[in-house]
Amino acid sequence: MTDACAENGLRSVEAAKQMLIDSINPITQSETIPLEQACGRVLAEPVLAALDLPPCDNSAMDGYALGGDHDSYTLIGKSLAGHPFYGTIEPGQAIRITTGAAVPKGTDRVQMQENCTVDGNQLSMSRPASPGENIRRRGEDVHTGQSLVPVGSKIKVPHIALLAAAGVEEVTVIRPLKAALLSIGDELKPIGTPPSELGDGDIYDSNRIALKAALNQLDIEILDLDCWPDQPDKIREAFILARDSADFVITSGGVSVGEADFTKTVLQELGEIGFWKLAIKPGKPFAFGRLPKTEGETLFFGLPGNPVSAIVTLYQLVIPALEKLRGTADEYRQPPLQTRARLLNAICKKPGRTDFQRGFTYRDADGIQVVETRGIQGSHILSGFAQANCFVVLPREGGDCETGDWVTVEPFSAPLK
Ligand code: AMP
Ligand code: MG
């Protein structure tokens, strides 16, 4: 089957994604920004810990820090978070201590207060505390000089928490990518045009708005170049404008082989372009290439016009490529998480292309992960997509599926979620 598809010239989704990733050189320009603005950005320079974490031995509990192993203790003071006890605790002595407060010299254990009884300055306990109990050791999380976050990491909330705990105020990250975004098609009208003013066969330019929303979520700077007619001269003008102002261009429409599809012709004039027919449904026609310019080049991604195809190819192919372009290291560029779910409805599928059907997955009352497809599975059907929370990924060589079959689902993640 695979051979038959190869003969048909269809490139598998996996091969296309790998080729994109392999052929893209990451940008290296960076900028230093406040830590609190760094979520979602890619770390460009190492950050080394300037101190141990925790910075000192401290208590994990509200309770009593004990001097040695005794039946009862004499209370001699207290250590509160931010207000340490500076003395030394002798055997048989104890102090009151709160969570996070420094553990003073002379003690190696903290008894939680629920196990303690206090009578005047005498402390007794319902059970003994063992050595080390309830003490968080200096440096057990991070050692001074240690790398806190590897270069190439996409900074997430836990990274921010770690860096802030280490007192880091600014980080150096890869500069934002710049995208030029445009639509191509004589039938496209801007949203806001009253329906009564749409000509026969006109539709709203929905792709540009949806793609813009997606790129916005990825911290990409967007030059919105609007919508262009199916005219080679105009398309050339748009591509030159896009090339000169961005790291990459995303277009939708005009990429197939119809009479009014000029993308290919214009791109062949301006640069080096691969037109791919992908073994993916939806989204067969896809263009990738490079537009050389005075300094460097601009990458080109030509998405199919059908709205579901445009979003699916953006998600499955373009975003992994952009992660590579913005320097996300291999180990932080994971393929989408997939899991298995039991089908609640039958699915029709012809062998030959990997199908990304739109579905809704959830855990049923018996705790079983189930999935049902949503809406007619056409590349122009947005209502089903809008109800979905996952792709049902049907392998290229597979055919129809029955109710009750176990299938692969790929829960949506950013920017679909
Ligand atoms: P094309 O790729 O130009 O052959 O277009 C395929 C289908 O997608 C056609 O039905 C177009 O009307 C539709 N289409 C193209 N561009 C857009 C767009 N920007 N927004 C919504 N639909 C589009
Ligand atoms: Mg068109």
Side-chain angles (χ1 to χ4, degrees):
M1 181 67 246
T2 315
D3 287 340
C5 291
E7 277 168 33
N8 289 342
L10 295 188
R11 193 184 294 263
S12 76
V13 188
E14 298 76 21
K17 197 197 288 192
Q18 200 55 51
M19 276 192 62
L20 282 174
I21 288 171
D22 290 346
S23 66
I24 289 173
N25 294 320
I27 63 165
T28 51
Q29 294 107 320
S30 59
E31 61 186 18
T32 299
I33 59 170
L35 177 66
E36 56 192 64
Q37 290 167 18
C39 211
R41 304 292 294 275
V42 176
L43 191 69
E45 281 181 9
V47 189
L48 304 183
L51 78 176
D52 289 338
L53 290 179
C56 68
D57 290 356
N58 70 91
S59 177
M61 288 283 173
D62 290 330
Y64 295 87
L66 312 174
D69 184 14
H70 293 262
D71 292 334
S72 65
Y73 298 84
T74 303
L75 287 171
I76 59 158
K78 59 186 177 183
S79 176
L80 307 181
H83 303 278
F85 177 84
Y86 288 106
T88 299
I89 300 180
E90 303 297 337
Q93 294 182 333
I95 59 160
R96 175 94 181 100
I97 196 163
T98 59
T99 305
V103 171
K105 289 196 190 88
T107 176
D108 69 345
R109 65 197 74 187
V110 168
Q111 179 63 275
M112 61 193 281
Q113 68 185 27
E114 288 81 349
N115 297 332
C116 296
T117 308
V118 175
D119 184 6
N121 68 351
Q122 290 304 299
L123 171 75
S124 55
M125 302 176 315
S126 56
R127 58 167 285 266
S130 21
E133 191 167 333
N134 292 325
I135 293 183
R136 308 191 290 205
R137 292 293 176 197
R138 172 179 179 157
E140 72 180 3
D141 189 4
V142 166
H143 287 293
T144 303
Q146 176 185 329
S147 158
L148 288 167
V149 180
V151 166
S153 303
K154 252 191 296 175
I155 299 174
K156 304 279 189 221
V157 171
H159 298 126
I160 302 271
L162 172 61
L163 292 163
V168 174
E169 208 183 353
E170 291 183 325
V171 284
T172 302
V173 295
I174 299 294
R175 69 154 170 83
L177 294 178
K178 288 183 209 144
L181 183 62
L182 59 108
S183 300
I184 301 167
D186 286 345
E187 75 282 30
L188 303 175
K189 294 290 173 296
I191 55 171
T193 310
S196 57
E197 287 176 24
L198 295 181
D200 285 344
D202 284 356
I203 57 168
Y204 291 114
D205 175 9
S206 62
N207 287 351
R208 191 164 43 88
I209 310 301
L211 296 170
K212 199 167 166 182
L215 296 176
N216 259 326
Q217 275 201 48
L218 303 171
D219 294 311
I220 291 168
E221 282 176 10
I222 302 164
L223 175 68
D224 184 346
L225 287 179
D226 224 307
C227 184
W228 297 73
D230 291 306
Q231 293 170 22
D233 286 351
K234 290 288 179 194
I235 293 175
R236 186 179 306 108
E237 186 186 330
F239 287 1
I240 291 172
L241 208 56
R243 176 196 68 192
D244 292 345
S245 43
D247 300 308
F248 65 95
V249 188
I250 294 185
T251 68
S252 73
V255 82
S256 6
V257 288
E259 172 176 339
D261 293 329
F262 298 111
T263 302
K264 186 174 181 176
T265 336
V266 174
L267 287 172
Q268 274 165 346
E269 276 174 38
L270 295 177
E272 170 201 324
I273 289 301
F275 270 82
W276 297 351
K277 284 198 171 160
L278 301 178
I280 181 174
K281 193 166 180 243
K284 189 159 78 172
F286 180 85
F288 169 63
R290 298 156 196 285
L291 300 171
K293 53 187 174 185
T294 324
E295 274 190 28
E297 61 183 16
T298 299
L299 298 178
F300 182 94
F301 301 99
L303 308 185
N306 274 308
V308 182
S309 312
I311 295 173
V312 168
T313 48
L314 177 90
Y315 186 79
Q316 296 294 341
L317 294 163
V318 180
I319 291 176
L322 297 181
E323 287 298 350
K324 174 79 186 284
L325 184 62
R326 67 172 176 165
T328 309
D330 287 350
E331 59 269 43
Y332 310 107
R333 241 183 18 239
Q334 297 300 324
L337 200 63
Q338 295 187 332
T339 184
R340 303 285 285 170
R342 191 185 277 170
L343 256 184
L344 294 178
N345 59 287
I347 290 180
C348 291
K349 179 188 181 297
K350 287 194 204 121
R353 292 200 258 165
T354 306
D355 217 338
F356 290 88
Q357 298 217 354
R358 283 68 68 201
F360 192 86
T361 186
Y362 59 96
R363 210 171 275 265
D364 72 8
D366 299 323
I368 295 170
Q369 196 69 34
V370 293
V371 63
E372 92 193 326
T373 55
R374 286 287 159 96
I376 306 166
Q377 296 292 317
S379 55
H380 62 299
I381 300 290
L382 286 168
S383 56
F385 201 175
Q387 292 167 31
N389 68 355
C390 70
F391 289 116
V392 181
V393 186
L394 303 172
R396 181 175 181 178
E397 63 280 7
D400 294 345
C401 299
E402 305 297 331
T403 303
D405 282 356
W406 284 89
V407 291
T408 300
V409 297
E410 201 175 284
F412 291 165
S413 63
L416 295 186
K417 192 177 167 188

